[in-house]
């Protein structure tokens, strides 16, 4: 099955889908993105991601490229043309194409819009979640606006690569106080040594994850105690459980941090339960 990508109004074979050499996304990382999980061809947490996309565009003063309805149609059509049942759809909007010059281009320069979609093996992801994954900590060297979902991801890429080279799946980034900020492409959580769920508050320089927000509602529903407060690497290593959340990863249990075993070295009961609950809800509410 050949893949298809949407670029600025047209669907192209994936291998021939191109943006201009002077696209500002390419030259300045001057753009934003969103990722939705797909269940049975439908997008999970749809509104949350769409609302955050508009916020990111607003914060960077990039024009809204098309109506919400039109964009929704393009997302659905890209999923359909790629025949994705389970996987992700990726949307990127940049400040468009213009002669390379740092200030914003002339008013009216149309933003660039690209959409791609690919399948993810649900059984492989489940096997990984059953086993749990390893985490490596890395210094957080990112800029000060990590609340905006920009395509400027070099620090995240370097952190993730360091993790992979160390045989870990995800990198947790750590600020100068020794407190975990978030994962390189996920939000970080623990069940601390007292049994309390902890995740960093979004006053900090982190992305307000849509999966994180959805999980918070489930945590409340389950009457679990949540402390939205930063935790240190040491606290994480002493925690009963550790896990992380993101579109595509859902709720992923971690079983070691920098080689230190978490709990008994298997996915914890709370993370496992929250994963099940999240998947049920996401699948049910997908559109
Ligand atoms: N990443 N933190 C960072 C730095 C992220 O890049 C992401 C998502 C998250 C989780 O956000 P959400 O729950 O809304 O997916 C947190 C996406 C999946 C990516 O870059 O591929």
């Amino acid at each position: 099955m050949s893949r298809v990508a949407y670029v600025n109004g047209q669907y192209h074979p994936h291998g021939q889908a191109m943006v201009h050499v002077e696209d500002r996304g390419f030259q300045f990382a001057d753009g934003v993105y969103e990722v939705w999980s797909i269940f049975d061809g439908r997008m999970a947490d749809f509104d949350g991601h769409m609302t955050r996309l508009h916020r990111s565009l607003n914060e960077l003063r990039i024009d809204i490229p098309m109506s919400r309805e039109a964009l929704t149609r393009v997302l659905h059509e890209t999923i359909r043309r790629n025949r994705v049942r389970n996987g992700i759809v990726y949307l990127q909007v940049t400040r468009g194409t213009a002669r390379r010059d740092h200030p914003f281009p002339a008013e009216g320069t149309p933003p660039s819009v690209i959409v791609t979609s690919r399948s993810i093996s649900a059984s492989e992801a489940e096997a990984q979640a059953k086993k749990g994954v390893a985490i490596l900590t890395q210094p957080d060297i990112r800029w000060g606006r990590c609340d905006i979902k920009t395509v400027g991801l070099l620090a995240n890429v370097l952190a993730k690569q360091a993790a992979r080279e160390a045989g870990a799946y995800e990198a947790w980034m750590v600020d100068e106080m020794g407190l975990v900020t978030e994962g390189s492409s996920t939000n970080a959580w623990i069940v601390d040594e007292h049994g309390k769920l902890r995740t960093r508050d979004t006053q900090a320089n982190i992305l307000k994850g849509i999966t994180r927000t959805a999980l918070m509602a489930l945590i409340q529903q389950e009457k679990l105690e949540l402390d939205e407060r930063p935790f240190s690497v040491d606290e994480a290593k002493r925690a009963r459980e550790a896990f992380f959340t993101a579109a595509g990863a859902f709720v992923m249990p971690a079983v070691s941090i920098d080689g230190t075993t978490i709990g008994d070295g298997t996915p914890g009961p709370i993370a496992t339960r929250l994963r099940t609950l999240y998947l049920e809800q996401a699948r049910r509410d997908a559109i």
Side-chain angles (χ1 to χ4, degrees):
M1 235 299 292
S2 52
R3 292 180 64 199
V4 171
Y6 172 91
V7 185
N8 295 329
Q10 284 182 314
Y11 295 91
H12 299 274
H14 192 266
Q16 290 156 34
M18 313 266 172
V19 293
H20 195 274
V21 288
E22 290 197 302
D23 190 283
R24 290 182 63 97
F26 177 57
Q27 292 191 321
F28 295 115
D30 190 359
V32 304
Y33 74 107
E34 278 299 332
V35 178
W36 284 262
S37 302
I38 302 169
F39 295 95
D40 297 324
R42 295 174 300 131
M43 287 172 277
D45 296 324
F46 184 77
D47 287 339
H49 288 282
M50 193 56 103
T51 301
R52 187 174 62 189
L53 170 74
H54 281 89
R55 177 183 183 276
S56 296
L57 291 169
N58 260 322
E59 290 295 316
L60 297 181
R61 294 195 281 144
I62 296 175
D63 292 342
I64 310 283
M66 60 177 95
S67 73
R68 200 180 154 109
E69 292 68 32
L71 197 50
T72 306
R73 271 199 298 280
V74 169
L75 291 165
H76 272 133
E77 184 61 12
T78 307
I79 295 167
R80 192 188 70 76
R81 288 188 188 221
N82 286 284
R83 298 186 197 188
V84 174
R85 304 305 304 163
N86 294 291
I88 54 163
V89 61
Y90 173 88
L91 164 70
Q92 180 173 327
V93 182
T94 78
R95 206 182 302 275
T97 294
R99 190 188 67 191
R100 186 183 179 280
D101 205 359
H102 288 65
F104 292 176
E107 227 167 279
T109 302
S112 301
V113 182
I114 67 155
V115 183
T116 57
S117 184
R118 68 176 171 86
S119 299
I120 294 177
S121 156
S123 57
E124 271 172 42
E126 263 330 289
Q128 209 157 33
K130 280 215 162 63
K131 211 163 143 248
V133 299
I135 287 170
L136 181 78
T137 61
Q138 286 286 291
D140 193 337
I141 59 167
R142 299 175 301 163
W143 75 323
R145 291 302 308 271
C146 297
D147 59 305
I148 306 172
K149 200 162 174 59
T150 80
V151 294
L153 291 174
L154 187 52
N156 309 58
V157 165
L158 294 175
K160 184 82 91 185
Q161 182 61 21
R164 295 298 164 92
E165 286 175 9
Y169 181 86
E170 175 60 310
W172 275 9
M173 297 182 284
V174 180
D175 67 16
E176 63 289 344
M177 315 266 287
L179 301 169
V180 174
T181 52
E182 62 183 324
S184 67
S185 62
T186 61
N187 286 114
W189 301 69
I190 57 169
V191 178
D192 71 15
E193 57 193 328
H194 310 294
K196 218 180 240 183
L197 272 160
R198 301 261 297 271
T199 193
R200 191 157 189 161
D201 60 277
T202 50
Q203 308 295 73
N205 185 31
I206 66 168
L207 185 74
K208 190 172 179 185
I210 303 304
T211 320
R212 175 188 182 278
T213 302
L215 204 65
M216 282 185 168
L218 291 171
I219 286 166
Q220 207 174 15
Q221 194 183 296
E222 287 292 287
K223 302 197 167 38
L224 293 168
E225 240 187 297
L226 169 67
D227 201 357
E228 227 181 312
R229 188 161 61 87
F231 52 84
S232 67
V233 174
D234 283 342
E235 283 178 296
K237 288 181 180 170
R238 288 199 310 270
R240 293 184 192 174
E241 300 187 30
F243 61 94
F244 50 85
T245 54
F250 317 127
V251 177
M252 183 58 77
V255 291
S256 75
I257 299 174
D258 296 341
T260 301
T261 301
I262 305 304
D264 67 0
T266 63
I270 294 181
T272 304
R273 168 105 183 113
L274 290 176
R275 180 179 174 89
T276 304
L277 289 174
Y278 175 76
L279 285 171
E280 276 171 16
Q281 173 179 281
R283 192 171 278 126
R284 190 188 61 225
D285 297 345
I287 64 160

